[in-house]
Amino acid sequence: MKYKILIVDDEKMIRMGIKNAMPWESMDIEKVYTAASAMEAAAVIKEYQPEIMITDISMTEMSGLELVEQIRKQNEGMRIIVLTGYDRFEYARQALQLRVHDFLLKPIDEKELKKSILKQVECLEKDRKHKEEDMSRSRAQGVRQQMALEQFMCGLILGKPEVKEGLDKFLEEFHFDREQDMRIGFLMPEVHGEEDAESSRFRMLTIRQICLGMVDGQKRGITFTDEKSRIVISFFCDKEKKEEELARQLVDILNDELEVKPRIVWGSVRSGFENLSVSYNDAVFVLEHEREAFEQIYTMDLNRKQEDIFQEVFQEFRTAMVCSIGEREKLFHIFDRFGMAVESYNLSAKYTRSCCFELASSVYFAYFTDTGGSANEQLSVLMKALSGAEREHALKVTAMFFDRLLAGEEGEVHELVKKVKRRIHENLADDLTVANLAGEFYVTPNYFTHVR
């Protein structure tokens, strides 16, 4: 490291004598500036930022100590050597108060001056190394903290008990709100054509850094990777759903920077870090188990308005639910995802009621067709309950409708399973098939294969 020095003295012979007398290069000084007054010195300091200054005390316009006082208001780190022709304690006392680093009497002894300058260079070098070490420690600490953060988040979404036990310490260390509303989003880059391992790794690292800057840097979420090395973002949510706008901006930037068009696969909105695993599992379910078209409801489609695509997406929901008759848990999971979609697309209450009734009618018809049961008044009751209902209430009463409809099924299925087992046990020698058994008990083969 080479340093810069400024010599301030209103006597040209003295300032030039110092400039020409010192072996600056061997002293790690690369630039030597001179000034004939305090005003000149201030201009040099502003433009060139020297690390060391040698100044006389006695000068016209402004004394050397006044110059030092002015400098200290803006530059705490400059090393300062004061020269004076007066052996007065008052000057020395003032110099110490202004944190001057050395105080030399005129006429200047070259060896003493060189020794003083080398001492300032040594102090600057020590300060520089300490700062570099502090920066290295800070960076290392930042890396360790980020790794700890990501490891904790990965364990949290997987529901590891030891991680949940450490939640209080985690929240205190990283200053997160325990009750924060959050929503998991998988960032899934779509890459066209073949890509080697190194290119893929570089791309994922770049995507991750962009996410850290846009999401974590703005304190609007937490970016990490799960056990399958997928980029996961826990978006912080609010009533205005700003996380969706942030996700769109993120997709736009990644598309522009990397020429890839990623999509966001969403989980549900959950309150509190303890419930984040539910949102993660929702997103995993969508990502791994649903058909591509059904999955589009969680994908940021930048080329089409949400209102334009909801109808076809709704048909995917309807078909998926009808195909899930006999699988109660899956049917309710799909309906929960439908509720998320209704909120995401901000559908009107009227349109929501219409969709809910169409879903209920389709499931109702499929249920009695598959089971061979008798229709009842449940659909009429639902119609009345939906009349004038707000969006959230419409979803709730429709969920209750499915619950009551399928509650009856569980008892019937239980009896059906017992009868089928008895039939098989008593007629082991017969050539029994699924079609034959379904026909005997007046249910469709499709329904029969799903009962437990």
Side-chain angles (χ1 to χ4, degrees):
M1 180 80 183
K2 299 290 186 178
Y3 297 98
K4 300 182 291 292
I5 193 168
L6 170 62
I7 303 166
V8 187
D9 200 301
D10 56 1
E11 295 185 39
K12 183 177 181 179
M13 186 175 66
I14 293 177
R15 65 177 183 271
M16 296 310 294
I18 294 173
K19 181 178 180 179
N20 295 326
M22 295 292 109
W24 299 111
E25 189 173 343
S26 65
M27 299 166 68
D28 289 333
I29 303 292
E30 65 174 351
K31 295 288 183 181
V32 180
Y33 305 102
T34 62
S37 67
M39 290 185 66
E40 280 188 32
V44 171
I45 292 170
K46 183 177 181 181
E47 183 172 359
Y48 299 107
Q49 299 293 314
E51 294 86 9
I52 305 170
M53 182 177 72
I54 301 171
T55 183
D56 186 22
I57 281 184
S58 180
M59 294 187 294
T60 59
E61 297 180 2
M62 182 186 294
S63 73
L65 290 179
E66 288 174 325
L67 173 62
V68 173
E69 184 177 9
Q70 188 180 80
I71 289 170
R72 281 292 178 242
K73 293 177 181 178
Q74 301 174 348
N75 190 333
E76 291 285 338
M78 179 181 281
R79 309 292 299 186
I80 298 175
I81 302 169
V82 167
L83 310 178
T84 180
Y86 304 97
D87 185 9
R88 290 176 56 182
F89 174 75
E90 180 61 25
Y91 285 153
R93 186 180 67 80
Q94 284 183 263
L96 289 172
Q97 288 177 339
L98 293 170
R99 297 183 300 286
V100 166
H101 299 95
D102 211 344
F103 189 85
L104 302 179
L105 291 174
K106 292 181 178 181
I108 305 301
D109 182 283
E110 289 186 12
K111 290 183 179 179
E112 285 297 316
L113 180 59
K114 180 180 179 181
K115 181 180 177 181
S116 179
I117 295 171
L118 287 173
K119 182 180 178 182
Q120 310 317 314
V121 170
E122 182 183 355
C123 289
L124 286 169
E125 194 65 15
K126 284 182 179 178
D127 287 345
R128 182 182 67 82
K129 289 181 177 178
H130 286 156
K131 286 178 181 178
E132 287 181 353
E133 290 171 0
D134 288 344
M135 287 178 65
S136 296
R137 282 193 293 269
S138 178
R139 283 194 296 266
Q141 178 66 17
V143 170
R144 284 195 295 271
Q145 279 192 326
Q146 184 63 29
M147 289 178 62
L149 173 64
E150 294 195 20
Q151 288 174 359
F152 188 92
M153 292 298 293
C154 189
L156 189 66
I157 59 175
L158 296 176
K160 294 183 178 179
E162 64 274 18
V163 172
K164 289 189 174 182
E165 290 174 4
L167 182 58
D168 288 335
K169 183 178 179 182
F170 168 80
L171 295 172
E172 181 179 354
E173 179 178 357
F174 291 98
H175 308 291
F176 291 130
D177 179 6
R178 177 185 286 274
E179 302 304 323
Q180 172 70 56
D181 286 346
M182 291 179 287
R183 186 180 187 185
I184 287 293
F186 282 122
L187 186 65
M188 309 301 295
E190 292 182 354
V191 180
H192 302 290
E194 294 185 0
E195 185 179 47
D196 59 50
E198 186 62 27
S199 297
S200 176
R201 179 175 174 276
F202 176 77
R203 178 174 53 79
M204 293 300 286
L205 284 173
T206 304
I207 291 173
R208 183 173 172 275
Q209 287 303 117
I210 292 174
C211 292
L212 285 169
M214 285 193 64
V215 180
D216 302 59
Q218 298 182 41
K219 301 187 184 302
R220 297 180 65 182
I222 305 170
T223 303
F224 57 102
T225 53
D226 66 4
E227 59 181 355
K228 293 186 178 181
S229 299
R230 295 175 295 207
I231 295 178
V232 184
I233 303 175
S234 175
F235 288 92
F236 294 160
C237 303
D238 53 30
K239 293 180 179 179
E240 290 77 26
K241 298 187 179 179
K242 292 180 181 177
E243 74 277 5
E244 294 183 5
E245 179 59 30
L246 176 61
R248 291 189 184 93
Q249 294 172 6
L250 186 59
V251 168
D252 277 341
I253 288 176
L254 292 173
N255 193 20
D256 292 340
E257 294 290 330
L258 302 177
E259 296 184 350
V260 296
K261 184 179 178 182
R263 51 198 178 90
I264 305 290
V265 180
W266 291 105
S268 55
V269 177
R270 296 290 165 173
S271 180
F273 278 80
E274 293 95 334
N275 300 314
L276 191 59
S277 60
V278 178
S279 182
Y280 175 77
N281 290 332
D282 289 340
V284 170
F285 182 89
V286 172
L287 187 64
E288 296 182 351
H289 297 291
E290 300 298 334
R291 291 171 300 199
E292 185 66 23
F294 180 61
E295 188 179 287
Q296 290 300 316
I297 196 148
Y298 306 98
T299 303
M300 287 297 169
D301 189 335
L302 302 178
N303 299 319
R304 302 171 59 192
K305 293 182 179 179
Q306 290 181 332
E307 294 83 357
D308 295 337
I309 66 172
F310 185 79
Q311 186 56 41
E312 65 184 72
V313 173
F314 170 73
Q315 295 305 323
E316 291 294 332
F317 274 119
R318 189 181 66 81
T319 302
M321 291 184 69
V322 168
C323 291
S324 300
I325 297 297
E327 296 179 88
R328 175 189 174 90
E329 183 178 348
K330 183 177 179 181
L331 186 144
F332 272 97
H333 189 96
I334 295 170
F335 185 71
D336 285 343
R337 306 287 73 71
F338 167 75
M340 287 170 50
V342 167
E343 293 185 7
S344 178
Y345 284 87
N346 196 25
L347 300 182
S348 67
K350 181 179 179 181
Y351 190 47
T352 301
R353 293 194 296 268
S354 174
C355 290
C356 284
F357 189 74
E358 186 175 343
L359 282 178
S361 301
S362 299
V363 171
Y364 185 81
F365 178 79
Y367 170 75
F368 286 111
T369 300
D370 276 4
T371 61
S374 301
N376 52 41
E377 298 298 318
Q378 290 187 54
L379 203 58
S380 298
V381 173
L382 174 65
M383 184 183 294
K384 293 178 182 178
L386 286 173
S387 179
E390 294 299 323
R391 188 171 67 187
E392 290 74 12
H393 185 64
L395 292 169
K396 287 181 181 179
V397 297
T398 307
M400 291 171 60
F401 168 83
F402 290 132
D403 187 55
R404 290 170 183 165
L405 179 69
L406 300 180
E409 175 195 2
E410 287 185 346
E412 293 169 9
V413 168
H414 181 67
E415 290 300 318
L416 177 60
V417 170
K418 288 199 300 183
K419 291 178 181 179
V420 170
K421 285 182 177 180
R422 189 181 307 117
R423 171 74 173 83
I424 294 172
H425 181 73
E426 293 174 351
N427 300 275
L428 293 175
D430 292 352
D431 183 17
L432 299 176
T433 66
V434 170
N436 290 339
L437 286 170
E440 285 187 33
F441 291 99
Y442 306 103
V443 296
T444 64
N446 178 59
Y447 178 80
F448 189 76
T449 58
H450 284 96
V451 297
R452 299 288 190 273

